[in-house]
Amino acid sequence: MEFKRLTPYQEALKLMLDDLGEVNDEEVSLKEALGRVLAEDVTTPFEIPPFNRAAVDGYALRAEDTFAAREYSPVTLEVIEEVPAGRAPRKRVEPGKSIKVLTGAKIPEGANAVLMQEHAIREGNLIRVLRPVAPGQNVAFAGEDVKKGQVVLRKGQILRPQDLAILKALGVKRVRVKRRPRVGIIVTGDELIDEPSEDAFRAGKIVETNSVMLMGLVERYFGEPVFYGVLPDDPHEIREAMEMAKKENDLVLVTGGSAFGDRDYAHHFVRLLFHGTTIKPGRPIGYGERVFVMSGYPVAVFAQFHLFVKHALAKLVGARDCEIRVRARLMERVPSQLGRYEFVKVRYEGGIARPIKRRGSGIMSSLVESNGYLVIPEDSEGYLEGEEVWITLY
Amino acid sequence: MEFKRLTPYQEALKLMLDDLGEVNDEEVSLKEALGRVLAEDVTTPFEIPPFNRAAVDGYALRAEDTFAAREYSPVTLEVIEEVPAGRAPRKRVEPGKSIKVLTGAKIPEGANAVLMQEHAIREGNLIRVLRPVAPGQNVAFAGEDVKKGQVVLRKGQILRPQDLAILKALGVKRVRVKRRPRVGIIVTGDELIDEPSEDAFRAGKIVETNSVMLMGLVERYFGEPVFYGVLPDDPHEIREAMEMAKKENDLVLVTGGSAFGDRDYAHHFVRLLFHGTTIKPGRPIGYGERVFVMSGYPVAVFAQFHLFVKHALAKLVGARDCEIRVRARLMERVPSQLGRYEFVKVRYEGGIARPIKRRGSGIMSSLVESNGYLVIPEDSEGYLEGEEVWITLY
């Protein structure tokens, strides 16, 4: 038996995405928030900086007083106050006066610029100004960083170290992020063993690797993997595990048993929205009821993850983006069959992409050698040597 | 007082890298190894696959027997055995015979190809072959993935999900990786407070954000952050904390106090290999005795981290690579001052890089808006609009 119809990739993707909603939010501390997805827009309750402040250590003064200053003919100003760190200036800067300030200090009344201390010679309570400064020079103006009420971080942002820093600056202590989706992983196949041995190989066994790969991928893309073990090709056991995993998780991945082989059972136990797509490798993937029925071969599983499951996870957490895409020049031509949405592994380095060609979908070393992929849509016969293409890095 | 000499960036970087050695290895389970850096080359003790095996469900046969097969005039073969999953075939394929195999099964003696079961019509112990197969078709050959003794993963590789999968296939249960370097973080500054308030702002205080940003950055780049708290500008306290942090960590970051301001103490307490570089922002950075003396301003600290600390961490763990660099077209021109190694934040999207121009090194929102940076070396006056440049993503 063959697939009656292969669902075009984009159509299958849309069917799947439309079927999934977002998971709930939760509140975490800033330290726990790294890499999590923001669940709401964050606006500022005040301006940043909250006042005009010095951007360097030096002398707050009236820029006009320095216009004539030159190294060979300095201008002399009086220093009327020295403001230590974390204190505000008390006096006002009148013509001919200056106030010593440290970086970050509030600019005193009357001053409109800061002279770097390296550009002055101090003599008692006087300075000799060696060069002119422009109005506003070395001043960080109130609100110039962030205006009050402005959205600084949007829902869907994957929180990076610098995002946590701005949240702290705003006084945010706990932040609403999306819960990490739980992803149940079920691996099936009578031929699978946990570690290699001569005897096992002679008996036709294969070392199972999908579990560790999928757990790592799920973790990397917003999720929390839950492994349900390696099951034999027994329809009852598989059905039971799938039922349990569906109850306990936001998403379920079942590897093995997606095709129409004699021992491919998994696809019988869910109402699939599609089964069989134009992607290559990985054609027999099916999706329905928050369950992906996937191939057994690791390379097919890897392609299915990137083309489908990754986007499902991004949808569940409302992530604005889950891919790094770069332009690269192809080192060799990559032909493709019409009607197939091809997933081609490449090695990207220095703006050049080298296709990693290996026969067979069991070829694991190609995954290790590659660091990204390109896709060739159904209506294309591929790309020429030297052509510029989009690479998605992994 | 000013820097007597600004050390050119590449020279400073080399001084620092030459001063650092690698941290020790440790052994972890495969599950713990995600994102860790491999500490030794891994070679294969056997071939992958260990035998010629079927790449599809179907019939193992002699390709020669199928050459005449057409949909309208099938060739008939006898099925002499059905091999269930995880078992090896027992019989030999003679001319006119075939053996039913599942994906992954060992190819029986005498057979040299596999016919997909979709391309045969089964009738009792006979099949009608509907199309010819070529010798080797649908066969994954022994060793075609990985040869015996071949290095599959190199020292310095950051372990990804697919790398863990190949390690499992090789029977590796525990893997030698580099220990995560401990990085002590000390933040200094009398003006720093932990959360914003009107009163604090009026008094000239600033919310401290370097701790959470640096902890996140250290975590993201191989390290384990250890925070020593926010210290006042007190030379004794700073010195004591630095001494303790040096003893307890592989690397120490001190923010605030790297310049020659009146309260910049940190740089007095280590023998620096350089102090003051051509980078902009972040010029006053110093390094010596595994200690970085950094700026107080978050944006300067961020640049210093990417231009120096990130590379220090990569050196400590022997990582082959710690950056994603992409080619992009500049949306606007970016001028730069000769003699400065400039760090310019950009927003990279769809092959285009837009420089994020903000005045002042305190401008945190530029960090949030950007997702990468370009650098302009000392001998360049910048780039033109439309020019192709390298962007490092973060």
Side-chain angles (χ1 to χ4, degrees):
Chain A
M1 192 180 154
E2 247 298 8
F3 290 105
K4 287 175 211 85
R5 173 188 177 239
L6 296 178
T7 308
Y9 170 63
Q10 294 294 349
E11 185 185 329
L13 185 68
K14 187 173 185 315
L15 281 170
M16 182 272 287
L17 291 176
D18 286 351
D19 189 56
L20 288 171
E22 287 188 11
V23 296
N24 293 335
D25 309 348
E26 62 181 351
E27 218 175 72
V28 297
S29 72
L30 284 193
K31 273 182 202 169
E32 298 165 308
L34 187 65
R36 302 295 297 272
V37 179
L38 194 61
E40 60 188 6
D41 287 354
V42 175
T43 57
T44 44
F46 49 78
E47 303 188 309
I48 301 179
F51 45 78
N52 297 349
R53 65 189 187 194
V56 296
D57 288 2
Y59 298 91
L61 40 69
R62 292 154 31 91
E64 308 83 279
D65 289 353
T66 69
F67 289 168
R70 301 290 181 273
E71 197 131 0
Y72 52 84
S73 93
V75 165
T76 301
L77 299 178
E78 190 188 345
V79 181
I80 56 169
E81 187 185 354
E82 307 228 2
V83 184
R87 236 209 47 210
R90 288 169 188 156
K91 296 191 176 160
R92 188 186 155 81
V93 174
E94 305 290 348
K97 314 289 181 189
S98 74
I99 291 180
K100 175 88 194 288
V101 291
L102 299 173
T103 306
K106 195 164 174 169
I107 301 290
E109 295 289 308
N112 63 3
V114 179
L115 175 75
M116 284 179 77
Q117 66 180 6
E118 292 87 338
H119 300 154
I121 296 170
R122 183 71 181 264
E123 287 170 4
N125 69 338
L126 297 179
I127 46 169
R128 302 209 181 278
V129 179
L130 301 176
R131 53 176 90 173
V133 293
Q137 201 168 333
N138 299 321
V139 176
F141 287 97
E144 84 171 15
D145 198 348
V146 183
K147 305 241 172 305
K148 189 174 168 177
Q150 189 180 324
V151 175
V152 279
L153 287 169
R154 290 196 184 281
K155 178 179 184 312
Q157 170 76 42
I158 302 167
L159 294 169
R160 304 163 299 170
Q162 60 268 39
D163 302 324
L164 302 183
I166 210 161
L167 286 171
K168 182 151 192 287
L170 298 178
V172 174
K173 286 198 169 129
R174 297 184 66 77
V175 55
R176 289 211 75 78
V177 297
K178 284 290 173 182
R179 185 167 59 70
R180 293 179 68 195
R182 284 170 63 92
V183 181
I185 296 168
I186 299 170
V187 172
T188 73
D190 284 339
E191 75 285 14
L192 300 176
I193 50 172
D194 200 47
E195 52 186 295
S197 78
E198 286 276 330
D199 282 358
F201 285 161
R202 252 195 304 276
K205 306 285 188 187
I206 292 171
V207 180
E208 187 283 308
T209 57
N210 283 333
S211 59
V212 67
M213 186 175 77
L214 281 176
M215 282 194 279
L217 286 167
V218 164
E219 207 171 296
R220 188 171 269 208
Y221 291 97
F222 319 114
E224 190 184 315
V226 183
F227 185 40
Y228 286 77
V230 179
L231 304 185
D233 291 319
D234 175 290
H236 302 290
E237 275 198 54
I238 293 173
R239 176 173 216 156
E240 222 166 80
M242 284 172 70
E243 288 303 325
M244 191 195 293
K246 269 171 67 176
K247 279 194 200 103
E248 297 174 347
N249 295 277
D250 300 293
L251 206 62
V252 177
L253 314 179
V254 187
T255 73
S258 66
F260 289 111
D262 295 346
R263 53 185 183 129
D264 291 331
Y265 303 114
H267 61 86
H268 296 303
F269 305 139
V270 276
R271 250 200 335 274
L272 297 175
L273 292 178
F274 63 83
H275 186 203
T277 65
T278 48
I279 71 167
K280 180 187 171 191
R283 185 176 55 140
I285 189 171
Y287 169 85
E289 303 178 38
R290 296 180 294 107
V291 177
F292 282 101
V293 180
M294 301 169 80
S295 298
Y297 262 142
V299 173
V301 169
F302 188 79
Q304 290 168 343
F305 185 92
H306 278 284
L307 295 178
F308 286 101
V309 183
K310 181 174 74 181
H311 299 288
L313 285 162
K315 173 80 190 275
L316 286 173
V317 296
R320 273 217 309 277
D321 205 4
C322 64
E323 292 189 336
I324 300 174
R325 298 178 74 225
V326 302
R327 290 295 274 177
R329 206 165 286 283
L330 263 183
M331 217 166 105
E332 299 164 28
R333 83 187 191 96
V334 189
S336 171
Q337 201 182 337
L338 280 176
R340 288 283 172 271
Y341 189 91
E342 217 165 327
F343 177 93
V344 180
K345 296 176 292 293
V346 302
R347 178 90 206 166
Y348 168 82
E349 220 150 9
I352 306 287
R354 177 168 56 85
I356 310 274
K357 285 180 207 153
R358 292 291 159 79
R359 299 182 336 130
S361 55
I363 302 302
M364 299 252 317
S365 61
S366 65
L367 290 185
V368 170
E369 204 177 330
S370 67
N371 59 4
Y373 64 89
L374 59 85
V375 297
I376 308 172
E378 292 89 340
D379 61 0
S380 162
E381 292 191 76
Y383 301 110
L384 301 173
E385 185 189 325
E387 205 167 333
E388 277 225 334
V389 293
W390 282 107
I391 304 293
T392 303
L393 298 177
Y394 53 67
Chain B
M1 191 179 158
E2 247 297 6
F3 290 104
K4 285 173 213 91
R5 174 191 176 235
L6 296 178
T7 309
Y9 169 63
Q10 294 294 351
E11 186 185 328
L13 184 68
K14 187 171 183 317
L15 282 170
M16 181 273 287
L17 291 176
D18 287 350
D19 189 55
L20 288 171
E22 289 188 10
V23 297
N24 293 336
D25 308 348
E26 63 181 349
E27 218 176 70
V28 297
S29 72
L30 284 193
K31 274 182 200 168
E32 298 165 308
L34 188 65
R36 302 294 297 271
V37 179
L38 195 60
E40 59 187 6
D41 287 354
V42 174
T43 56
T44 45
F46 49 79
E47 303 189 308
I48 301 180
F51 46 78
N52 296 349
R53 65 188 187 192
V56 296
D57 289 2
Y59 297 91
L61 41 66
R62 292 155 32 91
E64 309 84 279
D65 289 353
T66 70
F67 288 168
R70 300 290 181 274
E71 197 131 0
Y72 50 83
S73 98
V75 165
T76 301
L77 299 177
E78 190 188 345
V79 182
I80 55 169
E81 187 185 353
E82 308 228 1
V83 184
R87 236 209 46 211
R90 287 170 188 154
K91 295 192 177 158
R92 187 186 157 79
V93 174
E94 304 291 349
K97 314 289 180 187
S98 75
I99 290 180
K100 176 87 196 288
V101 291
L102 299 173
T103 306
K106 195 164 175 171
I107 300 290
E109 295 290 309
N112 63 4
V114 179
L115 175 74
M116 285 180 77
Q117 65 179 6
E118 292 86 340
H119 299 153
I121 296 170
R122 183 71 180 263
E123 288 168 4
N125 69 339
L126 298 179
I127 48 168
R128 301 207 182 279
V129 178
L130 301 177
R131 52 175 92 170
V133 292
Q137 201 167 335
N138 299 321
V139 176
F141 287 97
E144 83 170 18
D145 197 348
V146 183
K147 305 241 173 305
K148 190 173 166 177
Q150 188 180 323
V151 175
V152 280
L153 286 169
R154 290 196 184 281
K155 178 180 183 312
Q157 171 77 41
I158 304 167
L159 293 169
R160 304 163 299 169
Q162 60 268 40
D163 302 325
L164 302 183
I166 210 160
L167 287 171
K168 182 151 193 287
L170 299 179
V172 175
K173 286 194 169 133
R174 297 183 66 76
V175 55
R176 289 210 76 79
V177 297
K178 284 290 172 183
R179 185 168 58 69
R180 294 179 68 194
R182 284 171 63 93
V183 181
I185 297 167
I186 299 170
V187 172
T188 73
D190 284 340
E191 74 284 16
L192 300 177
I193 49 171
D194 200 47
E195 53 186 295
S197 78
E198 286 277 330
D199 282 358
F201 287 160
R202 252 195 303 274
K205 305 286 188 186
I206 291 171
V207 180
E208 186 282 307
T209 57
N210 283 333
S211 59
V212 65
M213 187 174 76
L214 281 176
M215 283 193 278
L217 286 168
V218 164
E219 206 171 296
R220 187 171 270 208
Y221 291 97
F222 318 112
E224 189 183 317
V226 183
F227 184 42
Y228 284 78
V230 180
L231 304 186
D233 292 318
D234 175 289
H236 301 291
E237 277 197 54
I238 294 173
R239 177 173 214 155
E240 221 167 81
M242 284 173 69
E243 288 303 324
M244 190 194 296
K246 269 171 64 176
K247 278 195 199 102
E248 297 174 347
N249 295 277
D250 300 293
L251 207 62
V252 177
L253 314 180
V254 187
T255 74
S258 66
F260 290 110
D262 294 347
R263 54 186 180 126
D264 292 330
Y265 303 113
H267 62 86
H268 295 302
F269 306 138
V270 276
R271 246 195 343 270
L272 297 175
L273 292 177
F274 63 84
H275 186 203
T277 65
T278 48
I279 71 168
K280 180 186 171 193
R283 183 175 56 138
I285 188 170
Y287 170 85
E289 302 177 37
R290 296 180 293 109
V291 176
F292 282 101
V293 180
M294 301 168 78
S295 297
Y297 263 142
V299 173
V301 169
F302 189 79
Q304 291 168 341
F305 185 93
H306 278 283
L307 295 179
F308 285 101
V309 184
K310 182 174 74 180
H311 299 287
L313 284 162
K315 173 81 190 275
L316 287 172
V317 295
R320 274 217 308 277
D321 204 6
C322 63
E323 293 189 335
I324 299 173
R325 299 179 73 225
V326 302
R327 290 294 275 178
R329 204 167 289 283
L330 262 184
M331 216 165 107
E332 298 165 27
R333 83 187 192 97
V334 190
S336 171
Q337 201 182 337
L338 279 176
R340 289 284 173 269
Y341 188 91
E342 218 167 323
F343 177 94
V344 180
K345 295 175 292 294
V346 302
R347 177 91 206 166
Y348 169 83
E349 220 151 7
I352 306 286
R354 176 168 57 84
I356 310 273
K357 286 181 205 152
R358 293 291 161 77
R359 300 183 334 130
S361 55
I363 303 299
M364 299 252 317
S365 60
S366 66
L367 289 185
V368 169
E369 206 177 330
S370 67
N371 58 4
Y373 63 89
L374 59 85
V375 297
I376 308 171
E378 293 88 341
D379 60 359
S380 161
E381 292 192 76
Y383 302 110
L384 302 174
E385 183 188 326
E387 203 167 334
E388 277 225 334
V389 293
W390 282 107
I391 305 294
T392 303
L393 298 177
Y394 52 67

